[in-house]
Every structure is written in C-alpha cells, then in structure tokens.
Amino acid sequence: MAMSLEGSRKISPRQPRRSRLPRDIPRFVLLCVLALLFLAPMYWMISTSLKPEVDAIASPVQWIPARPTLENYREVLTSPDGNMLRWLWNSAFVAVVFTVLHVLLCAITAYPLARMRFRGRDTWFWVVLGSMMIPWVVTLIPTYIMMMEFNWINTYHALIWPGIAGAFGVFLLRQFFLSIPRELEEAARLDGANSWQVLWRVILPLSVPALVTLGVFSFMGSWNNFVWPLFVVTDVDMLTLPVGVATFSQRYVTEYGKLMAATTLASVPVLIAYLFAQRYLVAGLATTGLKE
Amino acid sequence: MSTALPRRRPGYGQLNDSNPLVPYLYLLPHAIFFFVFVIYPVGYGVYVSLHRWDLLSESRPFVGLEYYRALFDFSTPQAQFFWKSLLNTTFFTVISVPLLVATSLGLALLLNRPILGRAFFRAVFFLPGVLTVSVMGILWRWIFDNQIGLVNAIRTDLFGNQPIPFLTTEGLAWLPIIIGTVWWTIGFNMTLYLAALGNISRSYYEAAEIDGAGTWAKFRFITLPLLAPITLFVTVTTVLASFQLFGQTLVITNGGPSRSTQSVIQFITEEAFTNYQFSSAAAMSFVFGLAMLIFTYLQFKIMARDAKGGS
C-alpha cells in the first residue's frame, strides 16, 4: 500500500549513527560546497536588494553591500506600477480558498470510492484517474473562452474554480482511506453513526497526514501557478504575486536592485511556509503514487 | 421475536444510508466540476479548432481541418513558428532531462548515508524549488545579465575577459534557462530518489560485501537496478515537465533572441492571447497535446500500478 501509515514513516529510516568520520570528510566537504552553490543565487538576490542601484552594478562585485539600504524595498512597496501587498493578498486568498475547497471536494469524492459498494464505482474511479492523462494545454484555450463567456476574466472565480476537480487528490485520498481498518468504521456504525458521521468522525480524523499532504501540495500549486493567472487576469489589482512580480520585471528591466527587492519580498512568505511545511512536503513527495 | 417485520426495500425517497443513491450523492459535487472543467473543455476545444472562431464576429463558420492543415503548410508563419518552438522545447528537454535525473541521483547518493547536517543539506537543496517561476527567472536573468550580471562581473573582475552577452546570443541564451531549471527542480527529484534509496534493504549490500564487492560494483549491480522503477518515474515526470517549459523562457529571455528559446506553450499562448487566433491555437494545442499524451500515458501506467494494489 502506497499510502499506509507505516509507509510514511519509512521515508526517513533512522539508521544507527556510525562514526566513520575520516571517511566522511570528503563527502561532507563536497556537500558544503554544493550547498554554498545552491544558496549563492539566493544570497545574491538578497544582497543586491539591499544595495543602492550604483552599487548593484558596481565593478568589482560587492559581495557584501557596502552601503546597505532599504530604499529598494520602500520604492517597491510604494510603486505606482503595482501594489505588492495587494498581490500578496490575492495569492493568499486564492490559495487558501482553493486548498480548502479542493481538499474537501476530493475527500467527499474519495470516501464512497474507497469504502462503499455500488454499481459503476470502479468505472468512475478509472474515468476520473484517466482524466489525468489529458495534457492541460489541451483545455487551456477552451477554458479561457469559457471564462470570457462566464464574464469571469479578472475575477477570483477564474483563479479558483477551473482547477477544483482534481483527479490526483481523489486518487491520493482514496488510497489512504483504503488503508483505514474496517473495524473502526463498524464500531461507529454500531453506535448508530451514518455514513456522513463516519466520514467526519472516523475517516477524516484518521487521515490528517494525507489531508495535510494534499493541502500543502494544493496550496503550493495554487500559490506558484503562473500560466493560468498570467492570461486570465489582466487588471493590475487582481494579479497574483508570481504574475505581479513578472509584470514588475518587464517594467524595471535593468533596475536590479528594485527587482531583487520585489523577488525577495515575493519569496519570504513561501520560505516561511516551507520551513513549517517541510516535513509534510517531503513526506508527501515521497508518496506521490509510488510504492517503492 | 416477530418474524413478520416487513423487509426494508431500498427506499429512494428517504435520505439515509439504505438509500442506494447515497454513494452517488457523495460523488455529485465533484462530478459537476469534473464535467464542466475537465470533460466539456476537451470537446469544446475540438469544436473551437474546427471552426473559425473570431472574437469580433458572431458567426463562427465550420472550417473542418483547415487549422490543422495550416500547421503542416510551411509557407505560413504559424507553421514555421510552431515547429520551431516545438524544436526548441525538444532541445531543452533532451539537454535538461539527463542532467536533472543524473544530478538528482548524485545528490541523493551523497545524502543517503547518515552525515552531519543531513537534514540541513536536504532542506538547502530543496529550497530553490519552493520559489515561484517568475522569481527564479528574474534571479537567473540577473545573474547572466549581458553586462553587469554576476557571471560576467566575475569574468571581468577575476580574468579580465570581455562580458559575454548571454541573453542575446543564440544558443548561449539556453545557459541561464537550463542552469536555472536544474537549480530550481533538483530537490524535487532528489527527494524521490532519497525515499527510494531508503527502501533498499541493507542486507543486499551486506551480502555483496561478503562476496567482496566494491563501492562501484555495489552501485552498479544493486543500487542502480533496484532504482530502475523510480528512475523511470522520475524520467517520465521530468520529460513531461520539461515539455511544458514556459515561465523560465518567458521571464529570462522572453523567447529570444529571434524566437530561439521560445517554447511551444509560449507560442500557443501568443497565438491565442496576443493574436486572438483561438482556433489556430486550439489546433496547435491538440497537436502538441497528442505528443504529450505518450508521456502522460507512461506516467499514468506507473501510477496505476499502485492504484490496482490498493483495491
């Protein structure tokens, strides 16, 4: 079973700490060098954001800002070309609403598919799962036209609804629900619970790891979505953060101090979220429909 | 005990669990969205691609396969740009996929055995992946800036070389795109590999050690074969993601110089949302979608193995 509780624990096996220090030193040094290389671009982003424009392009390169300033941040936050805080709010609102609705919808759908017997159950499951084979680019243009017909261009509706009926979430939760022992459900039934109560009081409380995993994925997916909001939203006040930052970069092509302040501001929320969600993100990734 | 209790027949009228409609009621909300936003758009897309869909005109005459045929008529700019962008995307995929698979496996192997700060390193390598594509793109555009970017600054500072205009030189413009993409997505694949490595039983290696196998032999004859399923999965998903190249090139080079880094999706969206040629764009997305279907099918097969195991 891919989604069993044991499965998620196997991800980081606690291996006995063996001290083979001398042999490990080259590997450790190599890892440190690689880590520095990976962090360097982000360091460069932050350090540039703290420099006045002349210092940002100074030669030789200023690794540490000689005259650190928050001027770039002030200008970005008060720029007439777009309101970063508004974009941040749009992104957060859309991502939160989408995530809650998506997880709920997937859970309610996965429940009968995992734990009830009825005609057409397996057929429907395979139809939904099979829809994952439709490349999204195929539905991009017709869905955009539908948004125009619904008058949803430049609204939150366009950013939230089209992606709500995911197949992956149904698949992930169904797999998890299957692993919950029948006895727990039967005990609740004996106490007079109906299926709705079983779902809310037995299945969902036991599925928190799977729900959180799906939630983290949905949130990150919505937050970082770029292609769809780029076209379906043109009103500067309705932009999401990734798209807003991109439009910023078209206007301030070479003012890298300001651009880096904008990208740093756009990254801070995700970096904080990442620190908190890291465990789930990594565990969820490892179980993305994979047995081994 | 009375045996004369009337047998409860399935009642369609009452809303309790004996109602055979209950499971379908659970499925209904998702099914509605599923039809409106997944099934219907596919059919609607076919309709749009077979008609001349004009934003300004009310009439949308049926034109059959005209737009599909135009894609194979190389005298039209549409056909030229479409295939050029498909070629660009293929080039990116061919270069970046082996790079992404090999480097992530390498990183995973480095981190597989316990080492001081393992959790820290894992987090660091995963970190770039949480950035949004526009942030990542702007950052790498800055690093490879023609004059004053970090790469050129280091070249001039340390070696006294002339700056190279990476972003406006055909061919070289791929460098920031590919390096940036590796930096951005490596942690994702690495995590998948780490999970798979953790599942390999130590007993294989112990047995091999008794037979006198060295590090390379153990890797070649135990690790690599046991990683074959995950490697297949990683490769297929990476190919899929690479073919959907869009944000990186849009932000870093905007498809330039002279469309040499324009991706298919960028061209399709240009055709639709800049030129308002919805029918032509729909036809292109079906042709491109068909090519993608092969890889999506493979990914689907790999995932379906698991679904079967569950039921």
Side-chain angles (χ1 to χ4, degrees):
Chain A
M1 253 314 301
M3 299 296 153
S4 66
L5 289 158
E6 292 79 17
S8 55
R9 206 168 292 141
K10 247 190 285 176
I11 288 150
S12 53
R14 287 252 166 262
Q15 292 172 358
R17 252 177 208 282
R18 268 167 273 180
S19 53
R20 290 174 304 184
L21 262 179
R23 248 190 78 192
D24 279 343
I25 286 175
R27 190 158 63 100
F28 184 74
V29 172
L30 182 57
L31 281 168
C32 285
V33 172
L34 288 171
L36 272 180
L37 277 175
F38 266 76
L39 290 173
M42 274 193 253
Y43 171 78
W44 191 238
M45 170 170 90
I46 296 166
S47 106
T48 306
S49 76
L50 295 169
K51 295 177 199 164
E53 210 58 56
V54 270
D55 286 4
I57 58 171
S59 175
V61 170
Q62 262 184 29
W63 287 103
I64 298 161
R67 293 175 289 169
T69 167
L70 291 175
E71 185 59 17
N72 291 321
Y73 287 91
R74 199 188 61 80
E75 281 185 45
V76 163
L77 283 171
T78 56
S79 159
D81 294 308
N83 186 338
M84 285 229 26
L85 296 175
R86 169 79 198 194
W87 297 337
L88 182 72
W89 159 254
N90 290 342
S91 278
F93 177 79
V94 168
V96 167
V97 174
F98 173 81
T99 302
V100 171
L101 290 173
H102 181 66
V103 172
L104 212 69
L105 196 62
C106 288
I108 291 173
T109 313
Y111 175 51
L113 290 176
R115 309 198 67 101
M116 289 182 187
R117 288 166 177 282
F118 56 93
R119 265 177 77 94
R121 180 190 65 182
D122 293 343
T123 314
W124 182 245
F125 175 65
W126 287 105
V127 167
V128 172
L129 196 57
S131 76
M132 284 170 75
M133 282 181 57
I134 304 169
W136 62 262
V137 65
V138 161
T139 54
L140 178 71
I141 281 124
T143 314
Y144 179 85
I145 297 175
M146 283 164 70
M147 295 299 108
M148 295 203 307
E149 287 164 352
F150 293 177
N151 268 323
W152 277 3
I153 302 290
N154 284 322
T155 65
Y156 289 132
H157 292 297
L159 297 173
I160 292 170
W161 299 114
I164 211 82
F168 175 73
V170 172
F171 170 71
L172 185 116
L173 293 183
R174 172 186 173 267
Q175 297 304 93
F176 195 90
F177 291 172
L178 281 170
S179 72
I180 295 171
R182 287 235 161 252
E183 293 75 28
L184 292 168
E185 189 177 340
E186 278 157 15
R189 292 275 184 185
L190 283 177
D191 290 341
N194 61 34
S195 65
W196 185 250
Q197 288 163 326
V198 168
L199 172 63
W200 282 91
R201 301 205 183 146
V202 180
I203 305 285
L204 292 186
L206 287 171
S207 307
V208 170
L211 296 172
V212 172
T213 299
L214 179 60
V216 169
F217 271 99
S218 313
F219 189 88
M220 299 290 279
S222 171
W223 184 277
N224 285 337
N225 195 359
F226 184 66
V227 189
W228 181 245
L230 181 65
F231 297 110
V232 95
V233 168
T234 47
D235 178 351
V236 83
D237 277 339
M238 287 302 294
L239 297 180
T240 55
L241 201 56
V243 180
V245 169
T247 62
F248 221 86
S249 94
Q250 282 154 9
R251 218 150 296 159
Y252 297 88
V253 191
T254 52
E255 289 178 72
Y256 280 111
K258 265 178 232 153
L259 276 180
M260 291 302 114
T263 51
T264 306
L265 281 173
S267 312
V268 168
V270 260
L271 292 181
I272 293 172
Y274 170 62
L275 288 180
F276 284 107
Q278 189 198 348
R279 257 164 22 110
Y280 293 107
L281 202 68
V282 169
L285 243 183
T287 50
T288 331
L290 281 168
K291 203 178 286 177
E292 239 94 50
Chain B
M1 276 298 238
S2 162
T3 50
L5 262 173
R7 265 178 62 199
R8 288 277 290 280
R9 279 189 292 112
Y12 288 90
Q14 61 220 123
L15 197 70
N16 59 32
D17 283 334
S18 62
N19 190 325
L21 289 178
V22 163
Y24 303 102
L25 285 178
Y26 280 104
L27 295 180
L28 189 65
H30 181 272
I32 292 171
F33 285 107
F34 185 72
F35 273 114
V36 174
F37 291 118
V38 181
I39 303 298
Y40 175 74
V42 177
Y44 194 32
V46 176
Y47 175 88
V48 170
S49 75
L50 298 177
H51 292 72
R52 185 173 296 121
W53 215 97
D54 195 330
L55 207 57
L56 300 171
S57 158
E58 273 301 300
S59 79
R60 279 150 200 171
F62 178 78
V63 295
L65 295 175
E66 191 188 286
Y67 287 106
Y68 292 91
R69 217 177 298 123
L71 284 183
F72 296 93
D73 172 7
F74 293 98
S75 61
T76 64
Q78 267 91 350
Q80 288 167 14
F81 294 156
F82 175 73
W83 293 106
K84 173 132 173 67
S85 65
L86 192 60
L87 212 64
N88 293 339
T89 312
T90 310
F91 172 79
F92 170 79
T93 307
V94 168
I95 302 288
S96 69
V97 170
L99 215 60
L100 280 166
V101 174
T103 47
S104 57
L105 174 60
L107 271 191
L109 288 170
L110 279 176
L111 282 176
N112 186 37
R113 280 181 294 130
I115 193 156
L116 181 68
R118 191 165 91 154
F120 168 79
F121 288 124
R122 265 170 89 138
V124 165
F125 297 140
F126 196 91
L127 198 62
V130 303
L131 299 179
T132 177
V133 68
S134 45
V135 166
M136 167 263 173
I138 296 167
L139 180 53
W140 283 92
R141 194 181 82 200
W142 166 218
I143 291 173
F144 276 91
D145 187 282
N146 284 348
Q147 253 79 49
I148 46 165
L150 186 59
V151 175
N152 274 324
I154 291 174
R155 283 168 42 84
T156 33
D157 285 359
L158 294 184
F159 307 103
N161 292 328
Q162 284 301 305
I164 298 174
F166 288 102
L167 299 180
T168 49
T169 307
E170 268 190 54
L172 287 184
W174 282 109
L175 266 179
I177 296 165
I178 289 170
I179 294 175
T181 304
V182 170
W183 176 77
W184 189 43
T185 52
I186 200 168
F188 214 76
N189 289 348
M190 175 200 76
T191 306
L192 291 174
Y193 267 126
L194 272 174
L197 283 169
N199 280 340
I200 299 179
S201 165
R202 288 221 59 85
S203 56
Y204 291 115
Y205 297 102
E206 279 152 16
E209 273 160 25
I210 291 167
D211 291 344
T215 312
W216 171 250
K218 279 189 283 184
F219 174 72
R220 171 75 186 75
F221 296 108
I222 300 174
T223 315
L224 219 49
L226 285 174
L227 287 181
I230 179 83
T231 301
L232 181 66
F233 182 82
V234 168
T235 308
V236 167
T237 49
T238 310
V239 166
L240 209 58
S242 300
F243 264 112
Q244 285 167 0
L245 173 72
F246 176 74
Q248 297 101 300
T249 54
L250 185 83
V251 177
I252 298 176
T253 59
N254 196 14
S258 55
R259 289 184 192 264
S260 67
T261 59
Q262 189 173 45
S263 65
V264 196
I265 293 186
Q266 194 188 343
F267 182 62
I268 291 176
T269 55
E270 181 188 314
E271 183 76 346
F273 308 124
T274 310
N275 306 337
Y276 297 112
Q277 296 294 319
F278 287 116
S279 300
S280 164
M284 285 174 198
S285 53
F286 273 104
V287 171
F288 176 56
L290 214 60
M292 301 286 302
L293 204 63
I294 300 163
F295 298 103
T296 353
Y297 176 73
L298 283 174
Q299 187 193 6
F300 179 76
K301 284 292 263 191
I302 299 168
M303 290 186 62
R305 274 195 324 223
D306 263 27
K308 277 215 180 90
S311 50

